[in-house]
Amino acid sequence: MTVDGRVARGDRTRRAALDAAVVLATEVGLHGLSLAQLADTLGVSKSGLFAHWRSKEALQLATVDRAVEQWQERIIDPARRAPRGVRRIWALHQARIDFYAARVLPGGCFFASTDFEYNARPGPIRDRLAEVFGRWTAYLEHLVREAVTAGELPADVDVPQLAYEIDALGITAAMRSRLLDPDTAYRHARQGLLNRLRALCPDPTLLPEGLS
């Protein structure tokens, strides 16, 4: 089966535009993102983008979805190469902090920024962000339960609480790294979870003793 070259080029153009939109959203806010602004950034006509997204809201929703894909590619997928249990939880946290430290998004964490931006703005964008955040929370809880099943965390561990703490360390690192010393913020986020997991794990040798 052959693929229409125009369709393939259109998909590449759309993906590149959304990558730029994710970057812009971390700098000017998702609410401030517009077709005109994205067109100026890319050096293309607004009408060309209008063929992909018929409204500002459609672009914003697509930008959220692209940020989810990026999170999957950069954080979740690499962590899945680690064994199930505390090592996968640790790998996920490490990948998240590494993603922040690489400054892929110059304005910081897309989700930390947009969640704060939209927590008091009812509507489709907030609903989509709430759905994404709910899936992320459920995934963290799933990883914790896997570690319990593997015998690498106590059977009586408070799963929602530990998942909350894991995410809180990531969010705090994302926010503090923009205002204070980023290396300190990232080190505290890594060490905080490492200490927590080693204290809970019956076999702490599964995890590093400390940070190099």
Side-chain angles (χ1 to χ4, degrees), residues 6 30 36 42 53 58-59 61 69 87 90 93 97 99 123 132 147 151 164 167 169 171-172 176 199:
R6 291 169 299 178
L30 185 60
L42 295 171
W53 305 286
L59 172 63
L61 289 169
E69 292 174 353
R87 286 167 291 184
W90 174 242
H93 189 64
I97 301 303
F99 179 62
V132 169
Y164 182 96
D167 195 43
L169 285 165
I171 290 174
T172 301
R176 289 199 174 201

Side-chain angles (χ1 to χ4, degrees), residues 28-40:
V28 303
L30 185 60
H31 185 69
L33 180 66
S34 68
L35 288 164
Q37 184 182 45
L38 183 58
D40 288 344

Side-chain angles (χ1 to χ4, degrees), residues 110-207:
F110 177 90
F111 294 106
S113 299
T114 54
D115 286 353
F116 280 113
E117 183 184 1
Y118 276 87
N119 61 12
R121 292 180 187 268
I125 309 295
R126 184 184 184 278
D127 292 345
R128 181 70 59 83
L129 289 168
E131 176 194 348
V132 169
F133 187 69
R135 294 204 310 265
W136 170 244
T137 300
Y139 182 66
L140 289 175
E141 292 179 1
H142 168 71
L143 293 187
V144 173
R145 290 191 182 95
E146 279 190 336
V148 172
T149 300
E152 295 180 7
L153 286 176
D156 62 350
V157 71
D158 188 331
V159 173
Q161 177 64 35
L162 183 54
Y164 182 96
E165 292 171 17
I166 294 167
D167 195 43
L169 285 165
I171 290 174
T172 301
M175 302 304 289
R176 289 199 174 201
S177 66
R178 311 309 301 179
L179 298 172
L180 304 173
D181 177 56
D183 290 338
T184 300
Y186 300 143
R187 185 176 67 254
H188 285 170
R190 296 181 203 272
Q191 193 66 59
L193 185 59
L194 183 58
N195 292 346
R196 185 78 168 104
L197 292 177
R198 283 183 62 86
L200 287 170
C201 185
D203 182 7
T205 63
L206 292 173
L207 296 157

